[in-house]
């Protein structure tokens, strides 16, 4: 059997996935990544990604589980949770209690959320107060163009959708930074304190309305605009989810276009590749294949759309009920505990500018294949889900047989830091789980970078796993 991971010999020779691909495969890589680039631009929030995935799935013959009466092998279904989380499945021939093949990614990304009472006026300007979401380096989010995405729920139950700043001709939003001329004190602070959370205020407008009786004439100007354009009033902000994200589109990076840069690749790169893998799957599967795209991973997978909610478990229960007409709690437990999962999330790529934070022997590199991460966690593997030796061997064997170039990675040097994924929550069902995803440069920044050969290998990896596990 060919061994397709990178060993010491490849390392010495400096080989990458590009060295291993035929010219036809290289074409495939670029074509695949065009679709991914467009997906990144269409889906900049968990809601938008959910909507996009529903469209992609319906185009490929998937329908909502609720529209189905009974389930048979070959059926293609999905279920959406609160417009922000989605699970899709292709039903296999085996009984569900033999276990599912699951790829689980997340579709929320670090960003700047508006507060419930966001709008205020300060002198000649109107601004939004914000509370950032997820692990950001705050200094990266000032002085860049931001677009505003999300929904505002009116009291009567209707929804105003806002998506402003991405299209040519749209205005954008921004958070200003202090000019260097007057930044003497700021520049002497620690980087973590140079920009503080309460200073991440977004510029929203500056033209006053006429009238002597109006208290905050510039804020009122913005409110009037929101009323006229979106039909919303100030109190509606309390029932809104408005997210400021980088306004720029995803772009090819480098003369040879070998890299792709853009916002939200953690974890939409794994979400897109997993969905494509499932959509491209024939309907002749042994084991039922499932792709789960969850929300709220960046804040600990909490809440009713996070991995900790019962949504996924309930979906499996509904599938069982629809498949066999004799649902039992025991069958649900058997189904979950005999399942196999890839926790599809990104890992850090070794950055030539910051090599000192990584153990070179155990870090992932750009364009050296999809990354297998046996355990995540930090400081003594704390908080990690460690995959068993046996399960890693099984996944390795599937990848090697399917032409998937892969590498291993660990998130940084021991005691340098670390991070987690949804793996430990899947493992809580007693299923086998392995972290597996794309290596990223500049993770959590407004412009994350991934290698195109890695993106394609991630797709190939998920497809091989769902087909053969
Ligand atoms: Mn992630
Ligand atoms: Mn993350």
């Amino acid at each position: 059997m060919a061994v397709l991971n990178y060993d010491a010999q490849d390392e010495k020779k400096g080989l990458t996935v590009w060295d291993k691909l035929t010219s036809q495969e290289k074409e495939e890589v670029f074509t695949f990544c065009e679709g991914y680039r467009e997906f990144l631009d269409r889906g900049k929030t968990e809601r938008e990604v959910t909507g996009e995935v529903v469209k992609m799935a319906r185009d490929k013959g998937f329908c909502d589980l609720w529209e189905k009466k009974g389930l048979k092998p070959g059926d293609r279904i999905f279920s959406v949770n609160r417009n922000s989380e989605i699970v899709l499945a292709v039903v296999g021939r085996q009984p569900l209690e033999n276990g599912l093949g699951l790829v689980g990614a997340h579709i929320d990304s670090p960003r700047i959320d508006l507060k419930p009472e966001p709008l205020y006026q300060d002198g000649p300007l109107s601004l939004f107060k914000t509370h950032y979401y997820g692990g950001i380096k705050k200094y990266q989010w000032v002085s860049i163009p931001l677009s505003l995405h999300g929904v505002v729920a009116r009291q009567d139950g209707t929804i105003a959708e806002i998506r402003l700043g991405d299209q040519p001709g749209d205005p954008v939003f921004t958070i200003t930074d202090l000019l260097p001329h007057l930044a003497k004190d700021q520049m002497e602070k620690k980087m973590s304190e140079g920009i503080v959370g309460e200073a991440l205020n977004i510029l929203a407008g500056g033209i006053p309305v006429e009238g002597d009786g109006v208290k905050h004439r510039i804020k009122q100007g913005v409110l009037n605009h929101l009323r006229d354009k979106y039909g919303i009033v100030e109190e509606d902000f309390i029932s809104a989810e408005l997210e400021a994200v980088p306004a720029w589109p995803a772009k090819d990076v480098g003369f040879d276009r070998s890299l792709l840069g853009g916002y939200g690749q953690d974890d939409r790169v794994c979400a897109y590749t997993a969905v494509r893998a499932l959509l491209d799957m024939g309907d002749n599967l042994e084991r039922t294949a499932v792709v789960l795209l969850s929300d709220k991973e960046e804040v600990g997978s909490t809440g009713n759309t996070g991995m900790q909610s019962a949504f996924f478990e309930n979906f499996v229960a509904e599938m069982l009920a629809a498949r066999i007409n004799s649902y039992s709690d025991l069958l649900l437990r058997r189904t979950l505990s005999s399942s196999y999962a890839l926790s599809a999330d990104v890992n850090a790529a070794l950055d030539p500018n910051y090599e000192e934070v990584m153990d070179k022997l155990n870090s992932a590199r750009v364009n050296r294949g999809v990354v297998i991460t046996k355990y995540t966690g930090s400081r003594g593997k704390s908080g990690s889900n460690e995959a068993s030796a046996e399960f890693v061997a099984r996944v390795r064997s599937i990848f090697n047989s399917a032409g998937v170039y892969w590498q291993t990675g660990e998130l940084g040097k021991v005691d340098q830091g670390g991070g987690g994924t949804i793996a430990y929550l899947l493992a809580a069902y007693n299923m086998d789980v392995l972290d597996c995803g794309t290596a990223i440069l500049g993770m959590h920044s407004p412009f994350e970078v991934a290698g195109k050969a890695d993106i394609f290998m991630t797709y190939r990896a998920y497809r091989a796993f769902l087909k053969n596990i």
Side-chain angles (χ1 to χ4, degrees):
M1 186 177 64
V3 176
L4 301 176
N5 75 321
Y6 286 89
D7 57 22
Q9 284 310 309
D10 286 338
E11 179 71 52
K12 270 187 210 134
K13 287 186 227 154
L15 295 180
T16 75
V17 174
W18 296 110
D19 294 299
K20 314 266 185 177
L21 297 178
T22 64
S23 54
Q24 195 195 331
E25 283 175 316
K26 285 179 190 163
E27 279 299 308
E28 256 187 280
V29 170
F30 284 109
T31 308
F32 184 87
C33 288
E34 274 303 289
Y36 170 52
R37 192 178 52 70
E38 288 165 14
F39 175 83
L40 281 178
D41 291 346
R42 286 198 301 268
K44 288 192 170 184
T45 66
E46 57 284 355
R47 280 176 184 262
E48 289 170 359
V49 170
T50 301
E52 277 305 314
V53 171
V54 168
K55 268 189 237 158
M56 289 165 68
R58 283 202 186 276
D59 278 354
K60 290 272 191 171
F62 283 68
C63 67
D64 196 305
L65 180 58
W66 297 116
E67 298 162 13
K68 275 274 190 213
K69 285 200 184 69
L71 279 183
K72 56 180 191 315
D75 280 351
R76 298 150 85 83
I77 50 166
F78 67 83
S79 183
V80 172
N81 183 17
R82 294 177 171 80
N83 300 313
S84 300
E85 181 181 24
I86 180 168
V87 58
L88 310 99
V90 176
V91 180
R93 276 195 300 273
Q94 290 179 12
L96 292 175
E97 63 266 32
N98 286 12
L100 314 166
L102 170 67
V103 176
H106 68 92
I107 50 176
D108 59 317
S109 296
R111 59 179 191 252
I112 312 282
D113 284 346
L114 298 201
K115 288 194 184 191
E117 298 257 19
L119 192 62
Y120 70 103
Q121 178 174 337
D122 195 337
L125 296 169
S126 186
L127 303 99
F128 285 130
K129 294 297 296 179
T130 69
H131 195 145
Y132 65 94
Y133 173 96
I136 63 167
K137 293 164 90 175
K138 296 185 217 33
Y139 70 84
Q140 295 179 333
W141 294 75
V142 296
S143 299
I144 65 170
L146 299 168
S147 56
L148 198 61
H149 294 239
V151 293
V152 182
R154 303 181 192 92
Q155 205 172 185
D156 63 4
T158 57
I159 298 286
E161 281 188 47
I162 295 182
R163 178 168 190 158
L164 188 61
D166 299 282
Q167 296 305 312
D170 275 1
V172 297
F173 301 86
T174 195
I175 300 166
T176 53
D177 193 4
L178 186 57
L179 62 166
H181 316 64
L182 300 177
K184 183 175 154 291
D185 293 345
Q186 183 196 36
M187 297 301 277
E188 279 163 14
K189 289 181 183 169
K190 291 200 293 183
M191 272 173 105
S192 59
E193 292 162 4
I195 306 286
V196 298
E198 287 294 349
L200 295 176
N201 301 315
I202 296 176
L203 283 178
I207 300 180
V209 294
E210 290 174 17
D212 293 338
V214 185
K215 199 172 169 205
H216 301 294
R217 295 193 300 127
I218 292 168
K219 174 182 167 183
Q220 192 58 49
V222 172
L223 285 172
N224 288 359
H225 177 83
L226 291 169
R227 179 198 61 207
D228 297 344
K229 181 145 189 223
Y230 300 104
I232 55 177
V233 297
E234 187 171 13
E235 194 183 290
D236 291 334
F237 277 121
I238 289 166
S239 49
E241 288 168 30
L242 290 170
E243 310 175 2
V245 300
W248 48 59
K251 287 278 190 184
D252 290 344
V253 175
F255 288 111
D256 56 9
R257 300 173 181 268
S258 57
L259 305 155
L260 199 143
Y263 164 68
Q265 299 207 64
D266 173 10
D267 183 33
R268 291 168 197 148
V269 64
C270 297
Y272 180 77
T273 48
V275 167
R276 279 291 304 272
L278 190 71
L279 264 46
D280 295 349
M281 195 74 60
D283 49 14
N284 199 15
L285 280 175
E286 278 300 316
R287 193 186 291 283
T288 295
V290 179
V291 167
L292 170 68
L293 308 181
S294 66
D295 182 24
K296 298 286 185 280
E297 192 276 341
E298 297 294 357
V299 293
S301 296
T302 45
N304 55 16
T305 55
M307 191 63 233
Q308 290 190 31
S309 101
F311 170 68
F312 169 69
E313 190 177 331
N314 291 351
F315 173 78
V316 177
E318 294 287 357
M319 269 208 303
L320 270 168
R323 179 88 174 90
I324 52 173
N325 259 326
S326 63
Y327 172 80
S328 79
D329 178 61
L330 184 60
L331 278 181
L332 174 64
R333 287 162 186 261
R334 282 182 184 156
T335 303
L336 290 166
S337 63
S338 53
S339 292
Y340 299 94
L342 293 182
S343 170
D345 210 339
V346 298
N347 199 334
L350 184 103
D351 187 328
N353 295 325
Y354 303 99
E355 286 186 351
E356 67 280 6
V357 300
M358 306 290 261
D359 162 20
K360 279 191 167 181
L361 193 60
N362 285 284
S363 54
R365 286 152 205 257
V366 170
N367 283 332
R368 291 182 67 100
V370 67
V371 187
I372 287 175
T373 306
K374 192 168 183 292
Y375 53 85
T376 57
S378 57
R379 295 174 181 85
K381 300 187 179 179
S382 177
S384 71
N385 163 70
E386 182 151 3
S388 71
E390 294 88 344
F391 186 51
V392 178
R394 189 155 168 207
V395 173
R396 189 160 67 102
S397 157
I398 289 173
F399 287 178
N400 283 337
S401 306
V404 177
Y405 290 101
W406 57 275
Q407 56 183 328
T408 53
E410 195 182 9
L411 189 56
K413 273 184 181 166
V414 176
D415 289 339
Q416 183 71 42
T421 65
I422 63 168
Y424 75 103
L425 293 164
L426 294 170
Y429 291 118
N430 193 29
M431 59 177 79
D432 274 307
V433 188
L434 173 63
D435 275 291
C436 175
T438 317
I440 297 276
L441 291 168
M443 197 197 296
H444 284 205
S445 78
F447 196 72
E448 300 171 312
V449 175
K452 287 188 177 174
D454 293 336
I455 296 168
F456 187 69
M457 281 305 145
T458 307
Y459 161 72
R460 219 180 234 188
Y462 297 158
R463 200 179 54 180
F465 177 81
L466 292 173
K467 218 181 173 99
N468 300 306
I469 187 67

